[in-house]
Amino acid sequence: MFRNIGFLVLLCLSFFFFSSIVSAAEPHELTPEELNYLYNELGFTEEQIALSPVSDLKDLVAGEAETVMSFDEEYDMENTSSKNTSSKNFSTLAAIPSADLSFSGRILKIATSDVSGYDKYYSSATFRWLNHPAFNLTDKMTIGFPSSLGVFFKTSSGNIVGHYSTTTLYNKSTGGSTVLASSTTPSTWQPALGVASAHNLRTTLNSNQNNAGQVSQYFYVKSSLAGNANVQFQYGHKRISGTVGITFGTSPGIGITPSTTTDIRSYAGQFSY
C-alpha cells in the first residue's frame, strides 16, 4: 500500500514538473493583431519578440507605443569601425579576430502611462555575436541617460521594476534561440542615470550557435517637460577574463568602464520628449 502511495506521489510530482517545462516552452500568447503591430509598427524582429516577456509586448501594443529612436549596427571587431557608422572610437579584439557583433536598440513612447504626471517609455538593447568568443566571460550592456533628464524608475520592495534581461544561444540554422538565463533585476542601476545587464558568454558552441542577449527597461519622464534628450547604449566585452566594470557620471549617466582589456561598442541616440 505504502509503495503504491509513494508511486502515486512520485507520478504527481513528475506530472507537475513536466507540465511546468511544457508551459515554459510554449509560444508567446500573442494575437495576430498584436504580432502585426509589433512587426510592422514597431519593427520588432522574430528573435526580439521571442525573447521579450509576453506582458511587456502586450503592454506596448495596448499602450499604442510608437518608436521615437532606434538603431541597428553591425560592428567589425577586427577593424576599428562599424559597418554602418563612421565612428572611430573603438578598440580591437585581439582575442576574437574577425568576429562581428550585431548591436541594436530602441526607445518607445507609450501613449498611456501608469504614473500620474509622467510620460512612459520603453528602452531595449539586443546583441548577438556572429563568431565565437575565445573565453567564457561576463559581458555587460548599459542604457544610460543624462542626469538632467530626471528619468524615473518604478520600484517595489526596494527593487527596481520594469526591467528584464536574457542571455541566449542563437541557432543560425533554425533562427531559434535557447534561453540560458534571465533576470528581472538589473546587474547595476543608478537612480535617474540608467541600468546595466550582465551576460555570461559560452565557449562550448557548435558551428550553428552564437551568444546573444537582450535588456529592456521601462522609464518615465515628467509630462511637464519638453525638449530633446540623449541616451547611450553600450556593449562591453572583456578580452581575456573577468567581468566588465560599470562607471557612473552625469552624462550619459551609467556606462562601461574603459580599460585596456575591455572593448566597448557604443551608440549615442536622441529622442524628443
Side-chain angles (χ1 to χ4, degrees), residues 42-45 48 67-75 82 84-85 90 101-108 122-128 141-144 213 215 231-235 265-271:
L42 299 182
F44 274 73
T45 65
Q48 290 166 343
T67 302
V68 295
M69 190 237 95
S70 65
F71 73 96
D72 189 1
E73 302 283 283
E74 185 177 305
Y75 296 104
S82 165
N84 298 322
T85 183
F90 305 132
L101 175 75
S102 173
F103 188 40
S104 62
R106 59 165 53 88
I107 299 289
L108 305 178
Y122 177 88
S123 59
S124 67
T126 305
F127 78 91
R128 188 202 303 162
M141 280 197 294
T142 62
I143 303 175
V215 59
V231 56
Q232 179 171 273
F233 298 84
Q234 285 190 318
Y235 181 87
R265 294 299 176 263
S266 180
Y267 187 92
Q270 68 177 46
F271 66 97

Side-chain angles (χ1 to χ4, degrees), residues 113-115 120 152-156 159-163 189 217-220:
S113 177
D114 53 349
V115 177
K120 185 177 182 179
F152 167 68
F153 301 121
K154 290 181 67 175
T155 63
S156 176
N159 297 312
I160 189 172
V161 298
H163 180 90
W189 74 284
Q217 178 65 55
Y218 284 99
F219 68 95
Y220 300 80

